[in-house]
Amino acid sequence: MASVSASHLILFIASMMIAASVAGVFTDSIGQLSGAISEQGFDVSSEVRTDVEIISDSGSDAVYQNGNITLYVKNTGTERLAAESGQLDIFVNGQFATAYEVTRADGDGAWQPGTVVRVDIDPPQSSLSGDVRVQLTVNGDEEVFNFRV
C-alpha cells in the first residue's frame, strides 16, 4: 500500500513539474504575441491617419520641365510625416524612381497636416513623351497623377 502511495506521489510531482514548465512557455509565447499585435496595431493606425493629395495641375507646363517632374503634395491626413527623401515610393510609368528630392513648400521642418511639400523627381527614363503616370505612396496611401508631355 505504501509503494502505491509513493509511486502516486512521484507521478504527481512529475506532472506538476511538466505543467509548470509548459505554463512558463505559454506565458512567454503569449507575451511575444501580444507585443507583435501591439506593434502591428500602431502601424495600421499610422496608415489609417495618413492621407496625401497631389495638388499639382496636370495641364500646367510647370509639371514637366528640363526632364524633371515637379509635383506639389498636400498632407490632408492627421499623421505628421517626414519631409525627406526615402519616405515616399515613387513610380513613373511603372518604373521605380530613386532620384527625387522632397522640400517643404513654405520652409523647413516636418510635413505637418495641412502643409504642402514639393517633390522634384528625376524620372528613371531619359525622356518622357505622351501620357505619363506617376504613382506616389506614403505609409500605404497611394495617389496617382496623370499628365501629358
Side-chain angles (χ1 to χ4, degrees):
M1 195 76 169
S3 64
V4 171
S5 296
S7 64
H8 282 192
L9 181 62
I10 291 172
L11 288 175
F12 176 74
I13 291 172
S15 64
M16 291 305 286
M17 289 175 57
I18 291 172
S21 64
V22 169
V25 169
F26 279 158
T27 301
D28 184 48
S29 298
I30 289 171
Q32 290 176 355
L33 181 62
S34 174
I37 289 172
S38 294
E39 286 179 24
Q40 186 176 9
F42 179 73
D43 291 343
V44 169
S45 171
S46 178
E47 286 180 16
V48 167
R49 293 181 303 181
T50 300
D51 191 23
V52 297
E53 294 292 329
I54 299 173
I55 60 174
S56 295
D57 181 11
S58 61
S60 172
D61 291 335
V63 172
Y64 185 69
Q65 290 181 342
N66 302 325
N68 290 325
I69 300 170
T70 300
L71 298 177
Y72 289 94
V73 184
K74 184 174 185 176
N75 182 355
T76 57
T78 59
E79 181 76 5
R80 179 178 177 256
L81 303 169
E84 59 189 36
S85 298
Q87 296 296 315
L88 310 172
D89 290 331
I90 300 173
F91 293 88
V92 178
N93 288 339
Q95 291 187 331
F96 187 65
T98 56
Y100 66 90
E101 186 176 319
V102 180
T103 54
R104 277 262 315 256
D106 61 350
D108 293 329
W111 191 7
Q112 299 288 348
T115 60
V116 176
V117 295
R118 176 182 168 151
V119 182
D120 294 309
I121 306 165
D122 184 14
Q125 300 93 340
S126 59
S127 65
L128 298 173
S129 63
D131 292 331
V132 178
R133 179 179 193 264
V134 179
Q135 177 184 333
L136 179 91
T137 306
V138 182
N139 278 357
D141 181 46
E142 291 182 10
E143 294 297 320
V144 175
F145 183 75
N146 296 305
F147 65 98
R148 188 163 182 77
V149 177

